[in-house]
Amino acid sequence: MTPAPAENTVKCVVWDLDDTLWDGTLLEGDELRVPEANRTLVRVLDEHGILQSVASRNEPGPAGEQLRGFGLDRYFLHPQLGWSAKSVALRTLLEVLNIGADSVLFVDDSEFERAEVAAALPEVRCVTREELHELVAGGRVLPRRVTADAARRREMYQAEDRRRGHQEAFQGPPEEFLSSLEMTLRVRDATQDDLDRAAELTRRTHQLNTTGITYDRDELAELVQDPGHRVMVAELDDRFGTYGTIGLAVLSTGPEWTIRLLLMSCRVMGRNVGTALIAALARTAAAHGARTVAHFRPTDRNRQMLVTYRFAGFAVTSRSEDRIVLTLPDDRVPVVPGYVRLVTEDAAAAPSRPTQEVTR
């Protein structure tokens, strides 16, 4: 299928049920059937990182049971089943999923329902299921590239829902909550498969970002191949699932290893894993006999990253109008928080078999 133009980015498809996702009307006792083309499309959208939900005028119990019976319930986030207006259901989904109305396709067989949503939420694109299939076939829906994180986007949303429920029910100090998550941070050299997500992180991450440098995929690919640089990514998992690739570091190597860019996704805001990521970089540098230096460019949003460097033991060694240089003293080893299990893989140390250090 032809990829979607960037200006037509679709992040979520919201399905009506009766005579849309399935043939027949539930309340009328029809024998319901999901067309094979719809089953395939639900799976294809999911594999391409497009979220899906349901907005249907049906009783929640019977409608949910039908979705489970068809084996499709796992694909739909926060299904809106009930008797409120479809626009109300969509507003709820926009808030819960934290996405914009212009990134949503609403699919409904009823001209009345499409018109009601279009009047209340004009940015939402309203289509019939036939039009949805045509849009997909014509390359107007699926993204150009699918990163590993995008392919598991729905699973990450579901994991975050479970995580949020655990946090709301948890009683105890913050560090005990963090310990209860059983987090594992994996830090490794980037591969070609990581570069789309890495470039995306440089474009989208502003608050947890030390220098604000952006790279496109080709620039990162060159750095990966350059023996004078290391590009490293960090992935975070916990007992509820994965956060995906949440960190990126670009370093120049030599007698000193200089962290020219360090960033972390807002997905991990409040997880306090920055020190663990810095520890992984510093320990990898030390294993190569190098001191660790870091660059920091202050903005109106990233002061937290300077605090993270200082907390890890870095000392300011020079300042200029637009840059602070910090150095980790030779006798300092950044401490990994006790609530994070750190796994570092240093492919350059043993190309045939990456070494692995596990720190608890």
Side-chain angles (χ1 to χ4, degrees), residues 16-20 22-33 56-58 66 83 109:
D16 173 47
L17 294 180
D18 294 329
D19 290 321
T20 301
W22 58 52
D23 291 334
T25 302
L26 178 59
L27 278 176
E28 294 178 4
D30 294 344
E31 183 176 347
L32 306 178
R33 183 185 71 87
S56 175
R57 292 180 184 273
N58 269 299
Q66 284 294 330
W83 302 103
D109 68 301

Side-chain angles (χ1 to χ4, degrees), residues 66-126:
Q66 284 294 330
L67 287 171
R68 288 189 293 275
F70 287 128
L72 296 174
D73 58 304
R74 69 182 183 275
Y75 291 106
F76 300 113
L77 302 174
H78 302 282
Q80 301 296 300
L81 303 169
W83 302 103
S84 63
K86 296 291 181 75
S87 61
V88 173
L90 287 169
R91 287 187 193 279
T92 299
L93 286 169
L94 293 175
E95 182 177 350
V96 171
L97 299 177
N98 192 28
I99 56 177
D102 60 350
S103 67
V104 173
L105 274 179
F106 172 60
V107 192
D108 200 304
D109 68 301
S110 167
E111 184 177 354
F112 170 82
E113 300 287 11
R114 297 195 305 273
E116 188 274 329
V117 168
L121 295 166
E123 292 178 295
V124 172
R125 284 165 278 178
C126 302

